[in-house]
């Protein structure tokens, strides 16, 4: 659930990302980790540096097609 993200490391693209706004709008206080690309976000989640990342459907589909 969203509450599982409380005080956990969450990858966000840039400093004013949609993911950051989503967390704030839902009252979740995660530790935001700025990243440079969606690929980097997925690597950080995969290696355990972050527990989650926000991907738009467009970004997720583009990454999946590239794999």
């Amino acid at each position: 659930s969203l509450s599982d993200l409380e005080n956990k490391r969450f990858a966000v693209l840039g400093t004013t990302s949609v993911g950051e706004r989503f967390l704030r709008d839902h009252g979740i206080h995660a530790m935001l980790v700025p990243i440079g690309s969606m690929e980097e976000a997925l690597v950080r989640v995969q290696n355990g540096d972050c527990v989650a990342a926000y991907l738009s459907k467009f970004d997720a589909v583009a990454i999946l097609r590239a794999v």
Side-chain angles (χ1 to χ4, degrees):
S1 73
L2 287 176
S3 62
D4 293 335
L5 298 174
E6 192 71 30
N7 298 315
K8 300 289 193 301
R9 293 173 58 86
F10 188 90
V12 294
L13 186 60
T15 56
T16 57
S17 73
V18 173
E20 181 179 359
R21 196 167 45 241
F22 176 84
L23 292 172
R24 185 180 57 242
D25 290 350
H26 288 84
I28 304 299
H29 300 95
M31 292 180 277
L32 302 178
V33 179
I35 49 96
S37 69
M38 288 294 107
E39 291 85 358
E40 180 185 355
L42 294 175
V43 168
R44 287 187 175 232
V45 170
Q46 182 179 28
N47 72 21
D49 183 43
C50 295
V51 297
Y54 182 91
L55 290 167
S56 71
K57 184 186 284 187
F58 177 79
D59 291 326
V61 169
I63 290 170
L64 289 173
R65 285 187 177 165
V67 176

